[in-house]
Amino acid sequence: MRPMLGLMQDVPLTLDTIFRHVEQHHGDVPIVTNGPGGPVRSTYAAWADRTRRLGGVLDTLGVSADGRVGTFAWNSQRHLELYYGVPCTGRVLHTLNIRLFPEQLTYVVNHGEDEVVFVDRTVLPLLWPLIDTMTTVRHVVVMDDGGTNEVPDDPRVRDYETLLAAAEPVAFGVVRDENTAASMCYTSGTTGNPKGVLYSHRSTVLHAMAVVSPNGFGIGVHDVAMPVVPMFHANAWGLAQAAPMAGAAMVFPGAMMQPQALADLIVAEGVTFTAGVPTIWQGMLPHLAGREHQLRKIGCGGSAVPAALSEAYREQVGLPIYQAWGMTETHPVASGGTLARRYDDADEATKAALRARQGVPLFGVQARIVTAGTTDELPWDDVATGELQVRGPWCAASYYEEPGTELTTEDGWMKTGDIAALDEFGSIRIADRTKDLIKSGGEWISSVDLENAIMAHPAVAEAAVVAVPNPTWGERPLACVVVKPGETLTEAQVLDHLRPLVASWWLPDAVEFIDEVPKTSVGKFSKKDLRSRFAEYPAKS
Ligand code: AMP
């Protein structure tokens, strides 16, 4: 028997619904972008007009109906124009991480088949030398963000403002199916090449509704929201959709990412909500401490938020840090640390310990822990640890064009590669990760790539690279090296050998010479043993 169906309208959840809402109801709300010449002021109304013209620019450039449009840019109003102008015309926004190395950048542009890349002038020198390796890119549109870098005299190079001034505004509404892809973001938080996560209009809208809700970031019409988390990494944690959806004013730091500049911007612009990785808040603490400000929530995630950092904010800035957990694969916000009513009367030490957890899944996401490699669920007793798996309408089902990469279990849960415990209410406590990676300042370093590079040295018998805690960066790589019998090697020689092979921020902070890399019963490197052996390793900076 057919079930009785509801009689409600079936209106698709597409990004142009957010665009239209903010255009119609919040046009007078300010948008501010910082720059070398000071803040540039605008409104959602002006932004909406430019965003519609951007649709016209994409037509002028001949970008295909579902063409991929790359962005290589800081957080700015222009980037927000791309966040809507691209998907609202049916194309797919591909945010390129400016911290990828050259080979990775070429790889993701070619894998995503980007037809055009919009690039901030300040970061043009990172992209332009690679342009001939990017086989599908036909145009590079330069957005002049006050950088002084020379713009190449090349027919492929176009100027954003010139194109926008000449373009006709377009009507949105071409996307009818909410499951159409809206944007893609590659993650290097896996082994091997970066993998593409392909967000749909529906998943983007649903995620933003969770982010905007009180247990999420809780953003409303009275807020001034400043995403410090980059718009080139993990969809800026949904803030580019959540703030416009709520009619909140937006403040963008542009390329002015120095701690002092960020703190001054927060104070001067009356920012009430902001979000970024722990390294950002660590650096900003001395610049915010004791100052008058309007902040009422600071979102933080991407790496564990140390209790000491959150407590220092509570004591010196007047509010603790709100911790969220998630992944590029979960849009990314999946859980958050709003404390339940049962803790209202708890003492500050208990609350600090609770805030150091990764929080409870936001409505829409389910979480479980299992014995790794199985679907056997473990108890929620805060003792048992197992692989964290999640499920929900904004969790990825698979990677873009990566056959053979298993992201989802046979019973439909997404494998996170994080090891966690859950307490009796399902609050997540991340304990470890199975991914052989190091997260430094919110970006990934592949220990396997570093090990292979070190082991290419003729005097090295074997090498393992592990994360050691660091107060500024969260984690930093430590190289544990076994020298071949009869050979000698110094730390300086290992680092000199690595320098031409890896990005400078990947260079291990130190090299420890050990007799043997500990092995598991099946002969694999036991990183766990090395991590606990060096858990107290003195931080370099
Ligand atoms: P990404 O896709 O680059 O955002 O990285 C996601 C990964 O970052 C997660 O799988 C975790 O390993 C780590 N991560 C994110 N948020 C947190 C957090 N609050 N605490 C600990 N680890 C986190």
Side-chain angles (χ1 to χ4, degrees), residues 57 111 170 199 248 263 269 281 304 306 310 343 358 393 401 499 527:
V57 170
H111 192 269
V170 298
Y199 304 127
E269 298 299 332
W281 304 118
S310 190
Y343 305 116
Q358 282 67 25
E401 305 223 325
R499 229 163 245 125
K527 300 281 187 78

Side-chain angles (χ1 to χ4, degrees), residues 2-7:
R2 255 185 88 217
M4 186 174 183
L5 296 180
L7 289 172

Side-chain angles (χ1 to χ4, degrees), residues 187 233-234 300-305 323-329 332 358 416 418 430 433 435 439 442 444:
T187 173
H233 187 166
C300 189
S303 296
V305 180
Q323 174 157 204
W325 169 88
M327 307 169 64
T328 306
E329 291 87 336
Q358 282 67 25
T416 66
D418 285 331
I430 303 279
R433 68 173 76 103
K435 305 177 258 204
K439 205 163 202 196
W444 293 110

Side-chain angles (χ1 to χ4, degrees), residues 97 185-190 197 199 233-234 237 277-278 300-305 323-330 332 335 356-359 388 414-419 429-435 439 442-444 475:
N97 188 333
C185 187
Y186 280 72
T187 173
S188 42
T190 59
V197 179
Y199 304 127
H233 187 166
W237 299 356
V277 296
C300 189
S303 296
V305 180
Q323 174 157 204
W325 169 88
M327 307 169 64
T328 306
E329 291 87 336
T330 64
S335 73
R357 303 179 71 94
Q358 282 67 25
L388 179 64
M414 200 196 97
K415 300 189 263 185
T416 66
D418 285 331
I419 302 291
R429 178 169 58 81
I430 303 279
D432 200 355
R433 68 173 76 103
T434 56
K435 305 177 258 204
K439 205 163 202 196
E443 299 289 342
W444 293 110
E475 296 173 2

